Amino acid sequence: MRFHLDRDVLNEAVSWATRTLPTRPAMPILQGVKIVADTTGELKLSTFDYEVSAHITLPAEVDEAGEVLVQGRMLSEIVRALPNKPVSFQLEGTKVEIRCGSSRFTLAVLPIGDYPALPELPPVVGTIDSSLFAQAISQVSIAASKDDVVPLLTGVRIEIDGEKVAMMATDRFRLAMREFTWNPSDPSAEMSAIVRSRTLTEVARSLGSGSVEIALNTGEQSSIIGFESAGRRTTSTLVDGDYPPVRRLFPDNTNYSMTVATQPLIEAVKRVSLVAERNTPVRLTFSEGQVALEAGAGDDAQASEVIEAQVEGGELVVGYNSGFLLEGLGAFTTDFVQFKMPDSIKPSVIRGQESQDADADDSYRYLLMPMRI
């Protein structure tokens, strides 16, 4: 096997393919990246750890076809360190030789016959604009649990109902849900899947411009989901289990409403929370024309700040985890946000507003449990 290509192109491809390689793989062979060169001028790089697979196809000048398996992280470090010149890659016996300018590296090959076959991509069930999909992932994944004690809650539930898609995640203290429309292969299809949040986040980071194809088995035994865009394909096994019925957490009736400019609120929460000790809330007092933020108590450091707000329903004092509040506010792209609350102890719902007098946008909702004050 022998091929040549630009260093930056190779570096980007290797970095993308090896980004999900496990730090402590179940088997040493899973540290490898499989490289296949075809005389048609295609170079394919693949990784797989029995949970997530990555496959990228790119053009290269191929002199001799072949395939090889090498240590992925070592290859990534080598390619990243190469000078900005064309790279030559050649297999010689049980070693590969990498040349770039005056730099020369050799790598031992891994037994490619022991490498597992990549999973087959399920049928494509629809496409969506990559920027919209990446935004939806970033908005929802913040609420997924980081604790593997309950693996189900580390996932994002995706519900597909024809042209409508809903994505949701919760860690029991908050809930994020994003709804949007897409281009389904079958407008009557209904299906759902739970995908690991970290996998979706990696997919979002690697998306380019254009559209994303989403592949999913429509049968009851669906176990793999796939994402493909611009020659890059990722598959992931699904999280097994029954996701909790989180939609019912959204309150039917809310007695209080507060609309405030998003960025000033974010900056105020950041400043006030500097004195908030771990597991203590930032207190928000909603009253006519303003919201007052406070943190700290007693002989400890204290902070307070008041910003303008449009308040309906009377005065109310609510305490929030500052980190959860900031993550939620940071997910909105609108100039204003609206808080809706039944009272000070039931979940608050935050939605975006384009202006202070506009209707709230239901496409993204962030539900946050208050803390006891």
Side-chain angles (χ1 to χ4, degrees):
M1 181 176 70
R2 186 168 65 251
F3 62 84
H4 319 274
L5 75 167
D6 181 78
R7 177 260 179 195
D8 289 343
V9 174
L10 180 61
N11 180 44
E12 183 180 359
V14 172
S15 297
W16 184 85
T18 59
R19 76 198 191 286
T20 58
L21 282 176
T23 306
R24 295 190 179 109
M27 298 182 296
I29 198 76
L30 299 181
Q31 297 181 43
V33 55
K34 184 179 180 181
I35 304 173
V36 179
D38 194 299
T39 50
T40 59
E42 277 192 343
L43 186 66
K44 300 174 183 178
L45 285 73
S46 308
T47 57
F48 185 38
D49 66 355
Y50 288 108
E51 180 180 294
V52 178
S53 77
H55 179 87
I56 182 169
T57 302
L58 62 154
E61 182 184 336
V62 180
D63 297 333
E64 185 179 337
E67 60 180 20
V68 70
L69 184 71
V70 295
Q71 218 282 345
R73 295 196 186 280
M74 179 62 71
L75 177 64
S76 180
E77 291 176 5
I78 289 173
V79 174
R80 189 183 305 118
L82 292 175
N84 191 19
K85 295 181 179 181
V87 180
S88 295
F89 193 102
Q90 183 171 344
L91 175 61
E92 292 285 355
T94 59
K95 292 184 180 294
V96 294
E97 183 180 82
I98 304 170
R99 288 183 178 272
C100 182
S102 60
S103 299
R104 176 179 175 274
F105 292 88
T106 59
L107 272 176
V109 301
L110 301 174
I112 197 168
D114 297 340
Y115 198 69
L118 265 65
E120 294 291 331
L121 194 69
V124 174
V125 293
T127 62
I128 182 174
D129 178 76
S130 60
S131 59
L132 172 59
F133 191 50
Q135 182 191 57
I137 291 172
S138 66
Q139 290 177 319
V140 172
S141 61
I142 57 173
S145 176
K146 311 300 187 293
D147 189 347
D148 288 332
V149 173
V150 186
L152 192 67
L153 298 186
T154 65
V156 172
R157 179 172 170 85
I158 302 175
E159 296 178 351
I160 299 171
D161 183 4
E163 295 182 347
K164 298 178 181 179
V165 179
M167 298 174 65
M168 60 199 75
T170 182
D171 60 4
R172 294 175 295 185
F173 303 104
R174 52 189 171 156
L175 163 66
M177 186 166 77
R178 174 65 193 268
E179 297 174 295
F180 53 86
T181 58
W182 74 330
N183 303 307
S185 301
D186 178 3
S188 64
E190 294 183 21
M191 63 196 80
S192 63
I194 304 173
V195 189
R196 292 171 186 82
S197 175
R198 65 176 182 270
T199 300
L200 284 174
T201 301
E202 288 292 345
V203 168
R205 286 173 181 164
S206 65
L207 291 175
S209 58
S211 62
V212 184
E213 292 184 341
I214 299 179
L216 182 67
N217 286 325
T218 56
E220 293 183 0
Q221 300 302 315
S222 180
S223 61
I224 291 178
I225 191 169
F227 308 93
E228 186 162 12
S229 175
R232 301 179 178 188
R233 183 175 75 226
T234 301
T235 67
S236 174
T237 56
L238 299 177
V239 180
D240 190 28
D242 296 323
Y243 205 75
V246 294
R247 288 178 182 269
R248 69 184 184 185
L249 296 176
F250 290 103
D252 294 326
N253 300 302
T254 53
N255 302 316
Y256 302 89
S257 174
M258 188 270 285
T259 300
V260 61
T262 309
Q263 198 57 40
L265 179 59
I266 290 174
E267 296 303 325
V269 173
K270 286 181 179 178
R271 285 189 288 267
V272 171
S273 63
L274 290 174
V275 302
E277 295 185 4
R278 183 178 177 85
N279 297 324
T280 62
V282 169
R283 301 180 298 278
L284 277 67
T285 301
F286 305 126
S287 57
E288 185 176 355
Q290 67 177 39
V291 55
L293 295 86
E294 299 174 284
D299 296 330
D300 298 326
Q302 299 179 44
S304 64
E305 186 165 342
V306 177
I307 57 176
E308 292 183 0
Q310 181 177 300
V311 178
E312 298 177 7
E315 184 171 315
L316 182 72
V317 182
V318 186
Y320 296 117
N321 176 296
S322 61
F324 291 167
L325 179 58
L326 285 171
E327 284 187 325
L329 294 173
F332 288 93
T333 59
T334 52
D335 291 337
F336 290 81
V337 287
Q338 179 200 73
F339 287 67
K340 284 278 193 178
M341 299 146 290
D343 52 43
S344 63
I345 60 174
K346 291 190 176 75
S348 303
V349 181
I350 308 174
R351 301 180 296 175
Q353 287 186 202
E354 292 298 335
S355 66
Q356 193 169 32
D357 299 321
D359 292 333
D361 182 4
D362 273 334
S363 66
Y364 177 58
R365 289 177 283 172
Y366 186 77
L367 183 146
L368 183 58
M369 284 295 301
M371 297 179 69
R372 292 194 178 275
I373 301 174

